[in-house]
Amino acid sequence: MNPRGLNDGCYRGETIVIEDVLDDCLTAAQAHGWTINWLETENNIRLLALHRAPASAHRKIYLSSGIHGDEPAAPLAMCRLITENVWPEDTALWISPCLNPTGFPANTRENAAGDDLNRDYKHLNTPEIRAHTQWLQTLPDMDFTIQLHEDWEAKGFYFYELKMGDQPTEPRRVLEAVKTVCPIDESTEIDGRKNDRGLIVPELDPRLRELWPEAFWLVMNKTQLSYTCEAPSDFQMQVRTEALVRAVRSLLD
Ligand SMILES: [Zn+2]
Protein backbone atom coordinates (compact mmCIF):
# COMPACT_ATOMS: atom_id res chain seq x y z
CA MET A 1 0.00 0.00 0.00
CA ASN A 2 2.12 2.86 -1.29
CA PRO A 3 1.26 6.22 -2.81
CA ARG A 4 1.20 6.11 -6.60
CA GLY A 5 3.17 9.33 -7.12
CA LEU A 6 0.58 10.68 -9.59
CA ASN A 7 -0.40 13.80 -7.70
CA ASP A 8 1.75 16.78 -8.59
CA GLY A 9 0.57 20.17 -7.38
CA CYS A 10 -3.01 18.87 -7.49
CA TYR A 11 -5.02 15.64 -7.72
CA ARG A 12 -4.12 13.70 -10.88
CA GLY A 13 -5.76 10.34 -10.28
CA GLU A 14 -8.90 8.91 -11.88
CA THR A 15 -12.09 10.92 -11.94
CA ILE A 16 -15.74 9.90 -11.59
CA VAL A 17 -18.94 10.70 -13.47
CA ILE A 18 -20.80 12.29 -10.60
CA GLU A 19 -24.25 11.86 -12.22
CA ASP A 20 -23.69 8.09 -12.31
CA VAL A 21 -22.55 8.01 -8.67
CA LEU A 22 -25.59 10.06 -7.63
CA ASP A 23 -27.88 7.80 -9.69
CA ASP A 24 -26.46 4.83 -7.78
CA CYS A 25 -26.97 6.65 -4.45
CA LEU A 26 -30.56 7.48 -5.41
CA THR A 27 -31.39 3.95 -6.57
CA ALA A 28 -29.98 2.43 -3.38
CA ALA A 29 -31.65 5.04 -1.16
CA GLN A 30 -35.03 4.38 -2.80
CA ALA A 31 -34.57 0.61 -2.47
CA HIS A 32 -33.76 0.97 1.23
CA GLY A 33 -36.66 3.29 2.04
CA TRP A 34 -34.86 6.58 2.56
CA THR A 35 -36.72 9.88 2.27
CA ILE A 36 -35.39 11.66 -0.84
CA ASN A 37 -35.09 15.43 -1.04
CA TRP A 38 -33.76 17.55 -3.88
CA LEU A 39 -32.56 20.96 -2.73
CA GLU A 40 -33.03 23.46 -5.57
CA THR A 41 -30.44 26.23 -5.85
CA GLU A 42 -31.12 29.64 -7.40
CA ASN A 43 -28.95 28.67 -10.40
CA ASN A 44 -30.89 25.44 -11.06
CA ILE A 45 -28.50 22.95 -9.52
CA ARG A 46 -30.12 20.12 -7.58
CA LEU A 47 -28.47 18.81 -4.42
CA LEU A 48 -29.50 15.38 -3.22
CA ALA A 49 -30.41 15.10 0.47
CA LEU A 50 -31.35 11.83 2.15
CA HIS A 51 -32.96 10.99 5.47
CA ARG A 52 -33.81 7.86 7.41
CA ALA A 53 -35.19 7.58 10.95
CA PRO A 54 -35.84 4.11 12.42
CA ALA A 55 -38.55 4.06 15.11
CA SER A 56 -35.91 3.08 17.69
CA ALA A 57 -33.59 6.00 16.83
CA HIS A 58 -32.31 8.05 19.74
CA ARG A 59 -29.18 9.47 18.06
CA LYS A 60 -29.08 11.98 15.23
CA ILE A 61 -26.13 12.14 12.86
CA TYR A 62 -25.49 14.16 9.70
CA LEU A 63 -22.99 13.13 7.01
CA SER A 64 -21.76 14.86 3.87
CA SER A 65 -19.38 14.37 0.96
CA GLY A 66 -18.55 15.78 -2.45
CA ILE A 67 -18.02 19.43 -1.55
CA HIS A 68 -14.66 19.41 -3.37
CA GLY A 69 -14.83 18.22 -6.99
CA ASP A 70 -11.27 16.85 -7.01
CA GLU A 71 -11.93 14.41 -4.15
CA PRO A 72 -13.78 11.51 -5.85
CA ALA A 73 -13.33 8.87 -3.14
CA ALA A 74 -15.61 10.86 -0.83
CA PRO A 75 -18.89 10.49 -2.80
CA LEU A 76 -17.83 6.96 -3.80
CA ALA A 77 -17.47 6.00 -0.13
CA MET A 78 -20.82 7.59 0.70
CA CYS A 79 -22.45 5.74 -2.19
CA ARG A 80 -21.02 2.48 -0.92
CA LEU A 81 -22.35 3.13 2.58
CA ILE A 82 -25.81 3.90 1.19
CA THR A 83 -25.72 0.84 -1.08
CA GLU A 84 -24.53 -1.56 1.63
CA ASN A 85 -27.21 -0.12 3.95
CA VAL A 86 -25.59 -1.27 7.20
CA TRP A 87 -26.46 1.40 9.75
CA PRO A 88 -26.96 1.33 13.52
CA GLU A 89 -30.65 0.84 14.30
CA ASP A 90 -30.54 3.49 17.06
CA THR A 91 -29.55 6.28 14.67
CA ALA A 92 -31.47 8.76 12.55
CA LEU A 93 -29.36 9.91 9.62
CA TRP A 94 -29.28 12.85 7.27
CA ILE A 95 -26.92 12.69 4.28
CA SER A 96 -25.75 15.15 1.63
CA PRO A 97 -23.87 12.85 -0.82
CA CYS A 98 -22.64 15.61 -3.15
CA LEU A 99 -22.58 19.33 -2.36
CA ASN A 100 -20.52 20.36 -5.41
CA PRO A 101 -21.97 18.55 -8.46
CA THR A 102 -20.49 21.12 -10.90
CA GLY A 103 -16.93 20.68 -9.62
CA PHE A 104 -16.55 16.99 -10.48
CA PRO A 105 -16.78 17.22 -14.31
CA ALA A 106 -13.75 19.55 -14.32
CA ASN A 107 -12.00 17.74 -11.43
CA THR A 108 -11.70 21.03 -9.53
CA ARG A 109 -11.84 21.71 -5.80
CA GLU A 110 -14.09 24.69 -6.61
CA ASN A 111 -17.54 24.68 -8.26
CA ALA A 112 -17.98 25.62 -11.95
CA ALA A 113 -18.09 29.31 -10.97
CA GLY A 114 -14.67 29.02 -9.30
CA ASP A 115 -15.81 29.22 -5.66
CA ASP A 116 -14.51 26.96 -2.90
CA LEU A 117 -17.86 25.98 -1.39
CA ASN A 118 -16.16 24.76 1.77
CA ARG A 119 -15.10 28.33 2.58
CA ASP A 120 -18.56 29.85 2.11
CA TYR A 121 -20.42 28.81 5.25
CA LYS A 122 -20.06 32.19 6.96
CA HIS A 123 -20.99 34.56 4.15
CA LEU A 124 -23.25 32.24 2.10
CA ASN A 125 -22.34 33.86 -1.21
CA THR A 126 -22.94 30.76 -3.37
CA PRO A 127 -26.35 29.36 -4.40
CA GLU A 128 -25.26 25.85 -3.41
CA ILE A 129 -24.39 26.76 0.17
CA ARG A 130 -27.43 29.03 0.57
CA ALA A 131 -29.68 26.11 -0.42
CA HIS A 132 -27.71 23.69 1.73
CA THR A 133 -27.78 25.81 4.90
CA GLN A 134 -31.49 26.57 4.40
CA TRP A 135 -32.13 22.83 4.48
CA LEU A 136 -29.73 22.25 7.39
CA GLN A 137 -31.60 24.91 9.39
CA THR A 138 -34.75 22.76 9.18
CA LEU A 139 -32.99 19.76 10.79
CA PRO A 140 -32.84 19.01 14.54
CA ASP A 141 -29.61 19.28 16.54
CA MET A 142 -27.18 16.44 15.81
CA ASP A 143 -25.18 14.23 18.20
CA PHE A 144 -22.31 14.68 15.79
CA THR A 145 -21.54 15.18 12.11
CA ILE A 146 -19.11 13.56 9.65
CA GLN A 147 -17.67 15.23 6.56
CA LEU A 148 -15.77 13.13 3.98
CA HIS A 149 -12.84 14.62 2.08
CA GLU A 150 -9.56 13.78 0.37
CA ASP A 151 -6.17 15.49 0.51
CA TRP A 152 -3.93 15.23 -2.56
CA GLU A 153 -0.78 15.89 -0.49
CA ALA A 154 -1.52 13.52 2.41
CA LYS A 155 0.82 10.63 3.17
CA GLY A 156 -2.05 8.66 4.66
CA PHE A 157 -5.47 9.02 6.28
CA TYR A 158 -6.00 11.66 8.98
CA PHE A 159 -9.00 13.41 10.48
CA TYR A 160 -10.11 16.47 12.40
CA GLU A 161 -12.08 16.36 15.62
CA LEU A 162 -13.82 19.67 16.20
CA LYS A 163 -15.27 19.56 19.70
CA MET A 164 -17.14 22.51 21.20
CA GLY A 165 -18.07 20.84 24.51
CA ASP A 166 -16.08 18.66 26.92
CA GLN A 167 -17.85 15.37 26.19
CA PRO A 168 -15.49 12.36 26.23
CA THR A 169 -14.67 10.93 22.79
CA GLU A 170 -12.53 8.07 21.50
CA PRO A 171 -11.04 9.31 18.24
CA ARG A 172 -8.07 6.90 18.30
CA ARG A 173 -10.52 4.02 17.78
CA VAL A 174 -11.17 5.38 14.30
CA LEU A 175 -7.48 5.40 13.42
CA GLU A 176 -7.09 1.82 14.65
CA ALA A 177 -9.95 0.78 12.33
CA VAL A 178 -8.63 2.69 9.31
CA LYS A 179 -5.03 1.55 9.85
CA THR A 180 -5.93 -2.00 8.78
CA VAL A 181 -6.86 -0.80 5.26
CA CYS A 182 -4.91 2.43 4.69
CA PRO A 183 -1.72 4.02 6.07
CA ILE A 184 -2.13 6.85 8.60
CA ASP A 185 -0.40 10.19 7.95
CA GLU A 186 2.13 10.49 10.76
CA SER A 187 3.49 13.91 9.72
CA THR A 188 3.91 16.13 12.78
CA GLU A 189 2.15 18.99 11.00
CA ILE A 190 -0.54 19.13 8.31
CA ASP A 191 -1.70 22.42 6.80
CA GLY A 192 0.04 24.27 9.64
CA ARG A 193 -1.78 22.30 12.38
CA LYS A 194 -0.33 19.84 14.86
CA ASN A 195 -1.08 16.29 13.72
CA ASP A 196 -1.06 13.71 16.51
CA ARG A 197 -0.54 10.46 14.54
CA GLY A 198 -3.56 11.03 12.31
CA LEU A 199 -5.67 13.15 14.63
CA ILE A 200 -5.90 16.93 14.39
CA VAL A 201 -7.78 18.75 17.15
CA PRO A 202 -7.89 22.35 15.96
CA GLU A 203 -7.64 24.95 18.67
CA LEU A 204 -9.74 27.58 17.07
CA ASP A 205 -12.78 29.69 17.59
CA PRO A 206 -14.94 29.78 14.44
CA ARG A 207 -16.22 33.19 15.50
CA LEU A 208 -12.75 34.62 14.93
CA ARG A 209 -12.39 33.12 11.46
CA GLU A 210 -13.40 34.91 8.29
CA LEU A 211 -14.02 31.91 6.00
CA TRP A 212 -16.03 29.02 7.34
CA PRO A 213 -15.89 25.40 6.15
CA GLU A 214 -19.04 23.32 6.53
CA ALA A 215 -17.78 21.95 9.87
CA PHE A 216 -17.70 25.46 11.38
CA TRP A 217 -21.31 26.17 10.41
CA LEU A 218 -22.32 22.82 11.86
CA VAL A 219 -20.64 23.36 15.25
CA MET A 220 -22.03 26.89 15.45
CA ASN A 221 -25.59 25.85 14.56
CA LYS A 222 -26.37 22.14 14.91
CA THR A 223 -23.85 20.15 16.91
CA GLN A 224 -21.08 20.17 19.51
CA LEU A 225 -18.95 17.62 17.70
CA SER A 226 -17.80 17.31 14.12
CA TYR A 227 -15.41 14.96 12.33
CA THR A 228 -13.74 15.81 9.02
CA CYS A 229 -12.10 12.72 7.50
CA GLU A 230 -9.32 13.08 4.92
CA ALA A 231 -8.30 10.19 2.66
CA PRO A 232 -4.92 10.36 0.87
CA SER A 233 -5.82 10.77 -2.81
CA ASP A 234 -2.45 9.60 -4.13
CA PHE A 235 -3.34 6.03 -3.16
CA GLN A 236 -5.45 3.50 -5.10
CA MET A 237 -9.13 4.47 -5.23
CA GLN A 238 -10.10 1.27 -3.44
CA VAL A 239 -7.78 2.07 -0.51
CA ARG A 240 -9.08 5.62 -0.13
CA THR A 241 -12.72 4.60 -0.40
CA GLU A 242 -12.24 1.79 2.09
CA ALA A 243 -10.47 4.18 4.50
CA LEU A 244 -13.44 6.57 4.48
CA VAL A 245 -15.99 3.75 4.81
CA ARG A 246 -14.07 2.32 7.80
CA ALA A 247 -13.84 5.75 9.42
CA VAL A 248 -17.60 6.30 9.12
CA ARG A 249 -18.44 2.82 10.42
CA SER A 250 -16.10 3.29 13.36
CA LEU A 251 -17.54 6.71 14.21
CA LEU A 252 -21.09 5.30 14.06
CA ASP A 253 -20.24 2.25 16.21
ZN1 LIG B 1 -11.89 18.61 0.70
Side-chain angles (χ1 to χ4, degrees):
M1 253 187 302
N2 289 313
R4 290 183 290 179
L6 295 176
N7 292 355
D8 176 19
C10 64
Y11 175 62
R12 293 192 188 275
E14 60 270 61
T15 56
I16 53 173
V17 178
I18 193 65
E19 289 87 357
D20 292 351
V21 177
L22 287 171
D23 275 352
D24 291 347
C25 288
L26 187 59
T27 304
Q30 281 167 335
H32 298 309
W34 289 69
T35 303
I36 316 282
N37 247 303
W38 287 101
L39 317 181
E40 305 276 349
T41 72
E42 298 140 43
N43 56 345
N44 299 315
I45 296 166
R46 298 197 317 158
L47 305 175
L48 181 59
L50 305 171
H51 172 52
R52 96 193 261 276
S56 54
H58 60 84
R59 295 196 304 172
K60 300 184 184 72
I61 295 170
Y62 162 80
L63 303 96
S64 74
S65 55
I67 199 166
H68 288 142
D70 57 349
E71 301 175 6
L76 283 179
M78 195 68 87
C79 190
R80 218 183 96 190
L81 288 159
I82 295 165
T83 305
E84 290 178 0
N85 197 40
V86 180
W87 306 100
E89 265 312 301
D90 66 351
T91 306
L93 295 161
W94 288 260
I95 298 183
S96 291
C98 181
L99 292 167
N100 181 12
T102 70
F104 281 90
N107 188 34
T108 55
R109 175 180 176 92
E110 296 80 11
N111 66 1
D115 296 310
D116 184 344
L117 298 177
N118 205 33
R119 295 292 180 270
D120 191 35
Y121 279 84
K122 186 170 196 174
H123 300 296
L124 313 180
N125 288 322
T126 59
E128 290 94 325
I129 303 313
R130 275 198 292 276
H132 185 225
T133 50
Q134 273 169 25
W135 174 70
L136 287 173
Q137 290 283 15
T138 67
L139 308 186
D141 285 350
M142 300 290 157
D143 289 82
F144 61 91
T145 71
I146 305 172
Q147 297 78 237
L148 301 186
H149 285 256
E150 293 203 275
D151 180 341
W152 67 266
E153 289 177 288
K155 313 244 176 319
F157 175 90
Y158 65 94
F159 75 141
Y160 295 87
E161 183 185 68
L162 192 53
K163 188 152 72 163
M164 302 306 273
D166 52 11
Q167 69 275 46
T169 52
E170 297 174 59
R172 297 232 76 90
R173 220 165 33 88
V174 175
L175 294 159
E176 290 304 314
V178 172
K179 199 166 76 178
T180 61
V181 294
C182 176
I184 304 299
D185 192 328
E186 307 268 353
S187 312
T188 52
E189 207 176 82
I190 295 175
D191 284 340
R193 299 211 176 78
K194 186 175 169 289
N195 171 35
D196 179 13
R197 296 160 294 146
L199 173 65
I200 299 177
V201 182
E203 289 169 18
L204 47 79
D205 183 346
R207 282 160 291 211
L208 304 177
R209 296 274 294 243
E210 197 41 39
L211 299 176
W212 283 10
E214 183 187 14
F216 281 14
W217 190 95
L218 290 166
V219 296
M220 295 303 288
N221 289 279
K222 287 291 165 190
T223 189
Q224 295 266 297
L225 182 61
S226 168
Y227 292 98
T228 299
C229 302
E230 301 274 356
S233 68
D234 208 16
F235 285 71
Q236 299 277 5
M237 186 68 90
Q238 197 192 339
V239 172
R240 298 139 59 186
T241 308
E242 185 67 26
L244 293 173
V245 167
R246 291 281 170 120
V248 170
R249 293 217 190 285
S250 174
L251 286 165
L252 292 178
D253 251 354

